Amino acid sequence: MSQSYTVTAVAVVVVATILVGGFGLRISRTTSDFYVASRTVRPGLNAAAISGEYLSAASFLGIAGLLLLHGPDMLWYPVGYTAGYLVLLVFVAAPLRRSGAYTLPDFAEGRLESRPARRVVSALVVGAGWLYLVPQLQGAGLTLEILTGAPNWFGAVLVAVVVVVAVAAGGMRSITFVQAFQYWLKLTALLVPAIFLLLAWQGDGRPAIDFDPTELSSRADHPLYATYGLIIATFLGTMGLPHVVVRFYTSPNGRAARRTTLGVLVLIGGFYLLPPVYGALGRLYAPAQALGKDADAAVLLLPDLVIGGTAGDLLGALVAGGAFAAFLSTASGLTMAVAGVLTQDVLPSRGVRHFRLATLLAILVPLGGSLVVSGMPVADAVAMAFAVSASSFCPLLVLGIWWRRLTPPGAIAGLLLGGGSALVAIGITVSGAVRSGWPHALLAWPAVWSVPVGFLAMILVSLATRSRIPPGTKAAMTRFHLPEALMPRARGGPR
Amino acid sequence: MTADATPKREVVTGEPRRVRPLPRYRAQSEIDEQTALGDAYVRSLMRGQLRAGLTAFALLAAVVGTLPLAFAALRDTTVVWVVLGVAAYPLLTLLAWWYVRRAERNERDFARLVKGRPLP
């Protein structure tokens, strides 16, 4: 495969990302612009930005790779990534926007009036964000290694540098434009080659595709349990992912936040029609890949394997550019979110300069992690971040928004027991201490038990500490659920 | 401070006098003042919105909860491919669209109730 096309495509994506970010910089004048784009982002633009941010290396490369190796059960990944937004929509979207908080720690403090609760949430947000950043950087390393022969660390470092430049320079307004641009770039980069691949398949006389799992599909000793674990983690985990939550504060009001979420469902649902095409054709045309370790690379290699020649090179370069857009957009969104929490809760001042320092810190730690740990499929690594989010932030958001008896001790107990136990289970899985049987299944897909643990701990401890119900609960509930037009302040009346 | 220390003279003024506008709508002012009645209004809105959310979520959970069992019983991978690969997305969008309409209608109805206009 010609490397020059690939290098050109990746370079174009990198330069375009910085240029679009620079366009945002010119209008990013105030601190409010910088952090939340002054809360004026229309649903259409915001939906494209959220989708662009959300479709990560796991979506762009990982799903096709897993389908190729393990068969159609893996389709639960994209369905879960999408359905997570439906759950977010029906329980969280509008009240979260109306809460007026910028990050999850802001929400916890605003709702519970408790500094300790805020600190626990901050620690978990930074942990989940870092957990999610590692596979993005690893995917970048893998992509550049396979396509250009560059050393594995190079791709990760390249993504980290571009993210720091784009995020630290322009902040949220420019990121909104960058992310929206990257959604359409990613869609094009998978759609155009997919059309050509399908035409080539048609030209070959439409050979039958074997959909059955291959020999290697012993992915779990208890596949049904693993499927339910994946469903619970992705359906309930999306709402708490730090880079997803931050974007909702840029909507002008609760109603726009709902419509934005509906737009997101349409956009990512459309995108997820494409990776299965690569997975299916990969079974036919890249069986050698199915036996190799790097199934994540199937999407990148298929154009060359099926079409070949200059056309194959050009399409391969397009896919590579799209893959890089995926790493850049998700990594910048996560870095933005983690840096926001670090600025507010760790570093002393809230000025823009400190935010830039926090940006550096937010990406350097996962960069180190990605260089140390390796060899895990990106979709699996991402699923672990979902499990942590589902067992800690999901109970906090759902109970915080709908249940008046939540207390700070209850929330902290639920966060620590639910999120903490999921984190420990993931740590044990990654360390490789338990490799088979029920113990492995329970630890590798913890959401089935850790989500109920989180909810139960939050409810039971709250009921046991009734005297600690925050005094402002009634006012908070009114603010979360009343349409903005009816809120006292909006009408200029007495407060 | 000791007992014989002379306190510094201070100018004492009253609260700045503000003319409070008369509430235009009774229910609205009940909510603004956070009275028990106002709280009841907010609770009724919350119940309506929660019912809408739970309906959508229950439908999703019922379908998704049984699908893996159905797939395991069927053992037909083409069906899995079609249902999860294609059909799932329009259905999710449809459910979301239904919820958004219902939630916005709840809010419109509530605004009408609060502002005391007669229902059509």
Side-chain angles (χ1 to χ4, degrees):
Chain A
M1 177 187 267
S2 166
Q3 294 177 11
S4 56
Y5 289 126
T6 311
V7 172
T8 311
V10 171
V12 166
V13 169
V14 165
V15 171
T17 302
I18 293 175
L19 280 183
V20 180
F23 168 63
L25 182 60
R26 262 189 282 155
I27 39 181
S28 177
R29 295 210 187 283
T30 66
T31 311
S32 171
D33 265 347
F34 193 83
Y35 283 118
V36 288
S38 296
R39 305 197 166 176
T40 52
V41 185
R42 287 175 291 111
L45 179 64
N46 213 10
I50 293 177
S51 310
E53 191 159 17
Y54 189 61
L55 296 170
S56 69
S59 302
F60 200 91
L61 303 178
I63 291 168
L66 284 174
L67 282 168
L68 187 57
L69 276 188
H70 304 294
D73 272 355
M74 297 299 110
L75 285 168
W76 279 111
Y77 274 96
V79 171
Y81 294 154
T82 313
Y85 275 97
L86 181 60
V87 181
L88 188 154
L89 168 70
V90 302
F91 290 133
V92 174
L96 182 64
R97 168 59 194 89
R98 286 172 183 151
S99 76
Y102 169 54
T103 60
L104 275 171
D106 284 350
F107 174 83
E109 194 183 7
R111 168 71 177 79
L112 296 165
E113 300 161 50
S114 150
R115 294 289 298 178
R118 181 190 182 101
R119 264 180 235 119
V120 174
V121 174
S122 299
L124 279 168
V125 165
V126 173
W130 280 344
L131 208 59
Y132 207 114
L133 269 165
V134 171
Q136 308 304 323
L137 299 172
Q138 280 179 338
L142 173 83
T143 304
L144 276 198
E145 186 182 16
I146 283 177
L147 292 178
T148 68
N152 194 291
W153 55 266
F154 181 75
V157 172
L158 179 65
V159 167
V161 169
V162 175
V163 164
V164 166
V165 171
V167 173
M172 190 53 116
R173 168 85 85 166
S174 67
I175 286 301
T176 303
F177 284 115
V178 173
Q179 307 286 27
F181 159 74
Q182 279 174 341
Y183 169 77
W184 296 108
L185 178 62
K186 275 183 264 193
L187 187 72
T188 312
L190 271 197
L191 181 63
V192 173
I195 291 171
F196 280 93
L197 287 172
L198 285 172
L199 286 176
W201 176 64
Q202 188 103 9
D204 285 354
R206 299 168 71 169
I209 297 166
D210 174 24
F211 285 127
D212 289 325
T214 53
E215 292 293 310
L216 278 161
S217 68
S218 59
R219 171 182 157 72
D221 300 323
H222 303 278
L224 205 57
Y225 170 83
T227 300
Y228 279 111
L230 178 69
I231 288 173
I232 293 175
T234 50
F235 278 46
L236 302 181
T238 305
M239 69 173 71
L241 291 177
H243 61 308
V244 173
V245 167
V246 166
R247 288 239 57 101
F248 277 86
Y249 305 125
T250 58
S251 283
N253 55 44
R255 190 161 163 267
R258 261 192 226 116
R259 295 187 163 203
T260 299
T261 318
L262 181 59
V264 171
L265 271 160
V266 173
L267 291 179
I268 60 177
F271 178 88
Y272 280 137
L273 295 174
L274 298 172
V277 173
Y278 287 81
L281 292 179
R283 295 201 135 213
L284 199 61
Y285 291 105
Q289 276 295 320
L291 305 170
K293 259 182 71 185
D294 291 335
D296 284 337
V299 170
L300 300 166
L301 297 176
L302 264 178
D304 193 42
L305 288 171
V306 177
I307 297 163
T310 310
D313 281 347
L314 284 172
L315 292 173
L318 183 60
V319 176
F324 243 78
F327 311 138
L328 284 178
S329 54
T330 305
S332 49
L334 281 164
T335 306
M336 184 89 200
V338 171
V341 171
L342 287 175
T343 315
Q344 286 192 309
D345 296 326
V346 180
L347 300 172
S349 146
R350 294 188 182 191
V352 167
R353 184 184 298 170
H354 283 261
F355 180 80
R356 289 176 176 156
L357 183 73
T359 306
L360 216 55
L361 199 63
I363 193 113
L364 280 180
V365 172
L367 182 62
S370 74
L371 300 179
V372 174
V373 186
S374 66
M376 180 182 283
V378 287
D380 277 350
V382 163
M384 293 177 167
F386 274 89
V388 172
S389 165
S391 15
S392 52
F393 304 135
C394 169
L396 176 73
L397 286 168
V398 171
L399 294 177
I401 287 169
W402 297 103
W403 196 48
R404 288 163 185 259
R405 295 191 199 164
L406 186 68
T407 65
I412 291 172
L415 288 166
L416 290 180
L417 286 173
S421 62
L423 265 178
V424 169
I426 285 159
I428 296 172
T429 310
V430 173
S431 76
V434 183
R435 289 186 181 280
S436 62
W438 269 114
H440 174 260
L442 286 170
L443 291 173
W445 288 273
V448 174
W449 53 269
S450 63
V451 172
V453 163
F455 269 102
L456 271 180
M458 238 176 239
I459 291 170
L460 294 178
V461 176
S462 290
L463 288 178
T465 53
R466 267 166 217 251
S467 58
R468 302 281 309 274
I469 292 176
T473 298
K474 207 195 268 182
M477 287 296 168
T478 307
R479 197 170 68 243
F480 290 176
H481 295 283
L482 219 57
E484 281 82 354
L486 298 178
M487 281 302 285
R489 207 180 340 170
R491 294 176 303 106
R495 288 194 58 194
Chain B
M1 185 187 278
T2 51
D4 57 341
T6 325
K8 213 181 144 193
R9 280 176 81 95
E10 277 180 39
V11 182
V12 179
T13 55
E15 284 258 309
R17 216 179 119 76
R18 251 191 313 183
V19 183
R20 288 175 56 148
L22 283 172
R24 282 166 65 201
Y25 308 112
R26 176 141 182 269
Q28 175 76 63
S29 73
E30 299 281 356
I31 292 172
D32 295 357
E33 306 295 332
Q34 292 187 28
T35 61
L37 182 62
D39 194 41
Y41 275 113
V42 175
R43 278 173 195 267
S44 80
L45 173 68
M46 272 178 76
R47 262 199 305 279
Q49 298 292 46
L50 187 61
R51 203 176 299 129
L54 284 176
T55 309
F57 183 73
L59 205 65
L60 178 74
V63 173
V64 166
T66 49
L67 269 184
L69 295 171
F71 289 153
L74 264 177
R75 296 184 174 281
D76 183 349
T77 45
T78 315
V79 173
V80 183
W81 210 278
V82 171
V83 171
L84 293 185
V86 182
Y89 303 105
L91 292 178
L92 287 172
T93 307
L94 212 63
L95 196 55
W97 178 75
W98 172 85
Y99 169 80
V100 169
R101 275 192 40 167
R102 169 112 183 240
E104 288 187 357
R105 198 179 63 212
N106 281 351
E107 283 177 359
R108 267 199 310 274
D109 290 351
F110 183 76
R112 255 192 233 118
L113 173 79
V114 164
K115 295 194 169 168
R117 283 180 205 146
L119 292 164

